[in-house]
Amino acid sequence: MISRLHVRGAIIVATAITGLVTLPAPARADQCDDIAKQLAGGIDGLKVNFKAANIIYLTHPAAKELSLGCRSKGQAYSNELYAKGDRKPTPQFYDLVASAAAIIFTVTKDDTTTGATRCLKRMGLLRGDKITMRYKRLNMECTRTKTEAAIAITRPKDE
């Protein structure tokens, strides 16, 4: 009789452990997906297209290309915003870049507007078609071709 109680107890403990192990873990959303949802909710006309690897592609009428790059293991940067527009960017493009950078990097919109405007307007005959600058702990790299201008904004992991 005693052996039956021990066997039953062992079976109950084993089923309890098995039940706990097989319970589904709570789903955790990717931080990058959360940022993309915040962007879509915070900027009028912005739509989230699709995610490929660590890049989420976005669309907006003011930009030709728009993407949010998320950090993977071993990268030096946390997140990256890449936006491409016309060679002479419109005020809507500046506003889009500033709003998106403010949401992604949690910096004020005034600071990101100033940084993006400075970077994009410095390109020219004297300084060239590629500008790299740092403003408010954000790295900004602006490039232009004959038909379009682009800006990439990143923040190092350690800041």
Side-chain angles (χ1 to χ4, degrees):
M1 177 131 155
I2 293 176
S3 64
R4 284 186 184 173
L5 291 176
H6 290 301
V7 172
R8 284 185 194 164
I11 291 173
I12 291 172
V13 170
T15 56
I17 291 173
T18 306
L20 289 175
V21 171
T22 59
L23 282 176
R28 296 181 188 244
D30 187 16
Q31 179 188 9
C32 199
D33 292 333
D34 291 340
I35 293 172
K37 287 178 186 174
Q38 287 178 359
L39 287 172
I43 301 173
D44 291 335
L46 185 84
K47 293 180 184 171
V48 178
N49 272 355
F50 61 93
K51 182 175 183 178
N54 292 329
I55 298 174
I56 295 179
Y57 293 95
L58 311 164
T59 56
H60 191 274
K64 291 182 178 180
E65 285 183 33
L66 188 63
S67 64
L68 168 64
C70 297
R71 179 176 65 93
S72 64
K73 294 179 183 176
Q75 284 185 332
Y77 294 103
S78 58
N79 292 327
E80 178 180 19
L81 172 69
Y82 177 78
K84 186 186 285 187
D86 295 327
R87 182 174 170 96
K88 292 196 176 232
T90 62
Q92 292 84 13
F93 182 76
Y94 289 121
D95 187 52
L96 169 67
V97 170
S99 298
I103 292 171
I104 294 169
F105 300 109
T106 61
V107 182
T108 63
K109 186 176 174 183
D110 293 338
D111 290 340
T112 55
T113 302
T114 303
T117 304
R118 283 183 186 177
C119 186
L120 288 166
K121 288 191 175 184
R122 283 187 181 177
M123 294 182 292
L125 188 62
L126 297 176
R127 292 191 176 114
D129 290 337
K130 184 175 182 182
I131 302 293
T132 302
M133 63 175 276
R134 189 161 163 83
Y135 186 77
K136 298 285 182 178
R137 298 187 315 156
L138 295 175
N139 296 337
M140 300 185 185
E141 183 177 321
C142 296
T143 56
R144 74 176 185 180
T145 63
K146 291 185 178 186
T147 58
E148 49 200 19
I151 182 169
I153 302 174
T154 57
R155 177 181 280 164
K157 275 195 313 190
D158 57 352
E159 293 184 8

